[in-house]
Amino acid sequence: MTLMIFFGVIIIAVILALIRAVKGPTAPDRVVGVDIMVTITVALMVLLGIFFKRRIYLDVSLIYAVLSFVGVIAVARYLDKGL
Amino acid sequence: MVNPSLLIAVPLAFAFSIPLFGLVSKKIGKYIPVVALLINVGISFILIPQILKKPAVVSIGGWSPPFCINLVVGPLGVFLVTLISSIGLLVAIYAISYIKEEPTEKYHMLFLLLITGATGIVLTGDIFNLFVFFEILCISSYALVAYNKDKEGTEAAMKYLIQGSVGSSFVLIGIALLYGMFGTLNMADIASRVTSADPTFLFISLAFLITGFGIEAAVFPLNAWLPDAHSSAPSSISAILSGIAIKTGVYGVARMIYTIFNADGILTFIAFLGLLTLLIGEMSAFRQNDIKRLLAYSSIGQIGLIVFALGIATSLGVFAGLFQIVSHALAKALLFLAAGYMIYRVGSKSIDSLSGLGRKMPLTSFAFTIGSFSLIGLPPFAGFISKFSIVYAAIQVKKPIFLVFVVIALIATVIEAGYFFKVVQNLYFKEGKNVDNVTETSGYIIVPMIILVISIIVIGIHPQFITGLLKGAAGELLGRTGYIGWVLGGS
Amino acid sequence: MSGIYNWMYYIASGGLILIGLYIVLVKTNLIKIVIGLNFIDTGINILLICIGYVRGRTAPIFSRPGISPANVVDPVPQALVLTAIVIGVAVLALALSIVIKVYQHNKTLNVTKIKGLKW
Amino acid sequence: MIFQLILIFIMIILAVAASLFKDLINAVVACAAVSLITSILFYFLQAPDVAMAEAAIGAGLTTAVFIIAIRKTERYEK
Amino acid sequence: MRRIVSIIILIIIAVGFIFAFSKIPFGKDKINVANYYIKKGIKQTGAVNIVTSVVLNYRGFDTLGEVTVLFIAAVGLGAVLFVERKIQKNMDDKEDKTKRASLILRTGSRLLFPLILLFGAYIFVHGHLTPGGGFQGGAIIASGFLLMYLAFPKQRINKKTSGLAESLSGLIFVGIGLLGLVFSGYFLTNFLPKGIPNTLFSAGIIPIIYIAIGFKVGFELTGIIDDLLERSR
Amino acid sequence: MNQIIGYIVMGVGVAFLFLGALGVFRFPDVYNRLQAGTKCTTLGAFLSIIGAGIVEPTWFLKCLIIAVFILFTNPISAHALARASYKSGVKLWDKSVVDKCKDFEECAKAQEDDK
């Protein structure tokens, strides 16, 4: 039950980030929105692992925790013309 | 008995090891495809007599057929494998000295993998595995079309890639729908359950699959990529694409219609589509001034003829269609190889610039002439027998609509004769302008052409060499209960 | 209301496939067309996975005791999708390299301005 | 259930947005977000292997490959 | 005009989808052939993760094809973007002034790079126990190299070594398949002892093939990124 | 007992996640949004993952690894993004008071000093 409330809050947070990602006037704004979405998703996946009661599911969120910033850095290095 | 899975494993192993051989010497790389395909040709010639006695079903991984991927080596499979590896071998010999553009090592790897993909398509008995090999074939041909890195080549490759990957997505959608309905991926297993399903559903999945394979086979509304891709690729690759790649697309369509779905209802429609493809291909070829584009459009026409013959769906019709596959593969490979070398020597693709070459390059021009005569269907060559048997089969059906079709096909043949005679006349009976320092070639270039010429003439004079195999293959395509029995009952 | 629950994954996959096809057919920018091909692949992957899903069952990994074979989803579509994802990535990389080459020859990405790409 | 429905609508919105953006960087970023949501959906459908593959590809590699391609070509769709 | 035609095509396809999907109920049990894998998978292959055993044992041929497809993409990309060595040198000189990344990024990526490699290796070694496997692990390793490329634009991997590793691991895969053919008569058979399920050293050939695939995929994806970055500036 | 503590920690984390997302939604320019986004969501994700580890004690090690990775990677990406958006010429909000980066003669100059 508590988990359900958490999921609800997280979904609202994802929607807020989505609005920023779609609306944001400049490219960095959108990247910020998507980056936030990824971070929230890592937490969501861990909570879902608790919900499904499978420990092995944590590996997926571990991958996002490790790798999500590579994409953001790629965009950032493009924007400051270093790539 | 040789295990047929070697037919796929050996070329793969050789292709993976080309960089290792590259350590020893840079020059070894170009002989590797020849060696690998020589082994393949040997294996397939050993297999032919055994397979004609008893078809082989080889499981991979050691479990019984519906639960694992299996190779079904029937008469059709072994016939197509022999064709693919022989043509591949000849083109590989040709490519040894034809390909000079760097990086040659990568060209030979991609070429070998393309042949492997085609071999896998015709052998496998599992529908998803068919998709995987189809992708191997497609992706390596995208890369090879763009191999010259010039403007036309990259644009043609882009066009081919976009349409081809939409097509393979459609194939995957069809496979997904079939899996959702039947819960199995083995083609024989699906075929044995297909009657229990809803006909609308079957029609939709068949439509997806045929659209997907039809893009690779270049059947009429889906053939926009072919002229560009075939005309701007390196000539050896054009020969492979025209001779083999589109035939595998036709094989896919035929396998879906005959074996899996048993869809008799759409056969007349397929024949009609083939006829339309034939007409459009020949009419567009007539207007071309670029020799490779002319050959590419002529390929569209011939594919239409093959599809038309397969759409007749009597054993004689399917036999004629398969015969046409052989004669077209031989003749078109020969034409592309000869034309490629002429273009290389002259430096221009237009037909006018080739005039007068008949005296300067007698062997190549002779090969070109033989190839075009065979494609038109003049008597002593292989093309005559295949075209004659297609017409004969269509008349035998005794439906009035097929008579109309035959008349249209004959008109298309006349058009074809027109433009090929124009080219041949250009070669022999016109004064050349700037062909003075063009000389005849020798060595690796001329050997495959001579072999192709000899095989066209031999098959034309004595077709009994292959009719037994072709009859067996036609029997496999039409007899789907036999196919199901080999796979599911034989274990 | 239960109808939408039964259809939502089909809506997701079909929607992605249709959006991808729309991009491929209508848009004129080459990189955007490649994005469309990527969407088609993703849509098909979702379709395959949701065909293999069975409500109320868990993943086919018997990592802890207490998971009975009658209680797992279909493993075959997952294996197929793994293959399909790899193929999608391969096509994507090759497509982008050819796009770069086309740009070097034409200095534009617009399909309507490239002569060899009109269809 | 309702969460998955919302996620699916988010995904569709992002896909449509990716097709509408004129700036290709934005389209690529939206593409990465679609891959993220897809990964969550695979997770919901009990396919951790596939979710992992989608994560490993979609998180860094696809975006980077697209960005490099844009760097070599041009940024805005005209 | 083009838009109208394509929308008509899309509507036709959508109607086809609706008809087809209505025949496949969502979430119902329609497992047919896969029952065999679920029931007998652990006993026959020794892998706890049934997806792994399907990928590498029952449908191992697909995986061989998949690896080949990625190999083709890497080779084809190298062929398409190939530039002669001399021209490339000149271009490198021109691009000499590529801007450096900031200190934080450089330090951070130097710190994270070995961890990412370790994590990738963990993923593909444990492929038969937890979700993941060769492909995922390889992609993670490639992401690690991508991070280094982003932080240090001038450093490059050694193409020759990576190419050799690529073809060696491909040969290992095919070679194991051929060994199966020699030992038990079927291509790609599991000929090693299966061990106790749910331990690291189990499942016969699966871990070996996954390690080979992991290296192959990792080096191929790295090679793809390297070719894209370096060639054809 | 650890269930209750875990859920409380998790709840705090989720609240921080929500606030971070709200900040990203509401704030006026990129730099403010990055500020809200990175700080809040890093803490939020950290707390909720640790909370999950407390709820299921056998998972604690893996959860800790995930949380530590989040702590490492998020600031790096935010830093790179802020720098990139400054260099690519995204303007500050017109009511911002401090612009330290302008105090240096040029941002690129500062980078040279890094060597």
Side-chain angles (χ1 to χ4, degrees), chain B residues 217-238:
Chain B
V219 186
F220 160 58
L222 312 166
N223 57 4
W225 59 271
L226 191 141
D228 294 325
H230 284 205
S231 64
S232 51
S235 291
S236 50
I237 294 309
S238 309

Short mmCIF file of all heavy atoms in Angstrom, two decimals, chain B residues 217-238:
data_model
loop_
_atom_site.label_atom_id
_atom_site.label_comp_id
_atom_site.label_asym_id
_atom_site.label_seq_id
_atom_site.Cartn_x
_atom_site.Cartn_y
_atom_site.Cartn_z
N ALA B 217 12.87 -9.13 -52.85
CA ALA B 217 12.75 -9.75 -54.17
C ALA B 217 12.43 -8.74 -55.25
O ALA B 217 12.44 -9.09 -56.43
CB ALA B 217 11.66 -10.81 -54.13
N ALA B 218 12.12 -7.49 -54.88
CA ALA B 218 11.85 -6.43 -55.86
C ALA B 218 10.65 -6.75 -56.74
O ALA B 218 10.68 -6.60 -57.95
CB ALA B 218 13.07 -6.13 -56.71
N VAL B 219 9.56 -7.22 -56.15
CA VAL B 219 8.31 -7.39 -56.89
C VAL B 219 7.68 -6.00 -57.07
O VAL B 219 7.95 -5.10 -56.29
CB VAL B 219 7.38 -8.35 -56.13
CG1 VAL B 219 6.15 -8.64 -56.94
CG2 VAL B 219 8.10 -9.63 -55.84
N PHE B 220 6.81 -5.84 -58.07
CA PHE B 220 6.55 -4.54 -58.64
C PHE B 220 6.39 -3.34 -57.71
O PHE B 220 7.22 -2.43 -57.79
CB PHE B 220 5.38 -4.60 -59.62
CG PHE B 220 4.78 -3.26 -59.87
CD1 PHE B 220 5.57 -2.23 -60.37
CD2 PHE B 220 3.47 -2.98 -59.57
CE1 PHE B 220 5.07 -0.99 -60.59
CE2 PHE B 220 2.95 -1.73 -59.79
CZ PHE B 220 3.75 -0.73 -60.30
N PRO B 221 5.41 -3.22 -56.82
CA PRO B 221 5.35 -1.88 -56.22
C PRO B 221 6.50 -1.60 -55.27
O PRO B 221 6.63 -0.50 -54.78
CB PRO B 221 4.01 -1.88 -55.47
CG PRO B 221 3.51 -3.25 -55.50
CD PRO B 221 4.40 -4.12 -56.28
N LEU B 222 7.33 -2.58 -55.01
CA LEU B 222 8.35 -2.44 -53.97
C LEU B 222 9.76 -2.45 -54.55
O LEU B 222 10.72 -2.73 -53.86
CB LEU B 222 8.23 -3.61 -52.99
CG LEU B 222 6.83 -3.91 -52.50
CD1 LEU B 222 6.77 -5.24 -51.83
CD2 LEU B 222 6.40 -2.85 -51.53
N ASN B 223 9.93 -2.12 -55.85
CA ASN B 223 11.24 -2.33 -56.44
C ASN B 223 12.00 -1.03 -56.67
O ASN B 223 12.92 -0.99 -57.47
CB ASN B 223 11.10 -3.08 -57.76
CG ASN B 223 10.20 -2.35 -58.72
OD1 ASN B 223 9.75 -1.27 -58.41
ND2 ASN B 223 9.94 -2.93 -59.84
N ALA B 224 11.67 0.03 -55.94
CA ALA B 224 12.30 1.32 -56.24
C ALA B 224 13.79 1.31 -55.96
O ALA B 224 14.53 2.07 -56.56
CB ALA B 224 11.62 2.41 -55.42
N TRP B 225 14.25 0.45 -55.06
CA TRP B 225 15.66 0.51 -54.68
C TRP B 225 16.54 -0.17 -55.69
O TRP B 225 17.72 0.13 -55.79
CB TRP B 225 15.87 -0.16 -53.32
CG TRP B 225 15.46 -1.58 -53.28
CD1 TRP B 225 14.23 -2.05 -52.98
CD2 TRP B 225 16.26 -2.72 -53.57
NE1 TRP B 225 14.21 -3.41 -53.07
CE2 TRP B 225 15.44 -3.84 -53.43
CE3 TRP B 225 17.59 -2.90 -53.94
CZ2 TRP B 225 15.90 -5.14 -53.64
CZ3 TRP B 225 18.05 -4.18 -54.15
CH2 TRP B 225 17.21 -5.29 -54.01
N LEU B 226 15.99 -1.13 -56.45
CA LEU B 226 16.86 -2.06 -57.17
C LEU B 226 17.72 -1.41 -58.24
O LEU B 226 18.92 -1.64 -58.27
CB LEU B 226 16.01 -3.19 -57.75
CG LEU B 226 16.82 -4.35 -58.29
CD1 LEU B 226 16.15 -5.64 -57.96
CD2 LEU B 226 17.02 -4.26 -59.76
N PRO B 227 17.17 -0.58 -59.16
CA PRO B 227 18.01 -0.07 -60.24
C PRO B 227 19.21 0.71 -59.73
O PRO B 227 20.33 0.49 -60.19
CB PRO B 227 17.06 0.85 -61.02
CG PRO B 227 15.72 0.48 -60.61
CD PRO B 227 15.78 -0.13 -59.28
N ASP B 228 19.00 1.56 -58.72
CA ASP B 228 20.11 2.33 -58.20
C ASP B 228 21.15 1.43 -57.55
O ASP B 228 22.35 1.54 -57.82
CB ASP B 228 19.61 3.34 -57.17
CG ASP B 228 18.74 4.37 -57.80
OD1 ASP B 228 19.04 4.73 -58.95
OD2 ASP B 228 17.77 4.80 -57.18
N ALA B 229 20.67 0.53 -56.68
CA ALA B 229 21.61 -0.29 -55.92
C ALA B 229 22.41 -1.17 -56.85
O ALA B 229 23.63 -1.26 -56.75
CB ALA B 229 20.86 -1.12 -54.89
N HIS B 230 21.73 -1.82 -57.80
CA HIS B 230 22.47 -2.74 -58.66
C HIS B 230 23.38 -2.00 -59.63
O HIS B 230 24.39 -2.55 -60.05
CB HIS B 230 21.49 -3.61 -59.45
CG HIS B 230 20.89 -4.68 -58.62
ND1 HIS B 230 20.40 -5.84 -59.15
CD2 HIS B 230 20.69 -4.76 -57.30
CE1 HIS B 230 19.92 -6.59 -58.18
NE2 HIS B 230 20.07 -5.95 -57.06
N SER B 231 23.02 -0.78 -60.00
CA SER B 231 23.86 -0.14 -61.00
C SER B 231 25.04 0.57 -60.37
O SER B 231 26.04 0.76 -61.04
CB SER B 231 23.05 0.84 -61.82
OG SER B 231 22.59 1.87 -61.01
N SER B 232 24.96 0.97 -59.09
CA SER B 232 26.09 1.73 -58.56
C SER B 232 26.98 0.92 -57.65
O SER B 232 27.98 1.44 -57.17
CB SER B 232 25.58 2.97 -57.84
OG SER B 232 24.61 2.61 -56.92
N ALA B 233 26.65 -0.36 -57.42
CA ALA B 233 27.55 -1.19 -56.62
C ALA B 233 28.75 -1.57 -57.48
O ALA B 233 28.72 -1.42 -58.69
CB ALA B 233 26.81 -2.43 -56.16
N PRO B 234 29.85 -2.06 -56.87
CA PRO B 234 30.91 -2.65 -57.67
C PRO B 234 30.35 -3.81 -58.50
O PRO B 234 29.44 -4.51 -58.04
CB PRO B 234 31.90 -3.17 -56.61
CG PRO B 234 31.60 -2.43 -55.39
CD PRO B 234 30.18 -2.04 -55.43
N SER B 235 30.90 -4.04 -59.69
CA SER B 235 30.24 -4.97 -60.61
C SER B 235 30.16 -6.38 -60.07
O SER B 235 29.18 -7.08 -60.30
CB SER B 235 30.99 -5.00 -61.92
OG SER B 235 30.82 -3.79 -62.57
N SER B 236 31.18 -6.80 -59.31
CA SER B 236 31.10 -8.16 -58.76
C SER B 236 29.92 -8.27 -57.81
O SER B 236 29.21 -9.28 -57.79
CB SER B 236 32.40 -8.49 -58.05
OG SER B 236 32.74 -7.46 -57.17
N ILE B 237 29.68 -7.18 -57.04
CA ILE B 237 28.55 -7.21 -56.11
C ILE B 237 27.24 -7.15 -56.87
O ILE B 237 26.26 -7.80 -56.50
CB ILE B 237 28.67 -6.05 -55.11
CG1 ILE B 237 29.87 -6.27 -54.24
CG2 ILE B 237 27.45 -5.96 -54.24
CD1 ILE B 237 29.90 -7.62 -53.63
N SER B 238 27.20 -6.39 -57.98
CA SER B 238 25.97 -6.38 -58.77
C SER B 238 25.65 -7.78 -59.25
O SER B 238 24.49 -8.20 -59.25
CB SER B 238 26.13 -5.48 -59.98
OG SER B 238 26.59 -4.24 -59.59
#
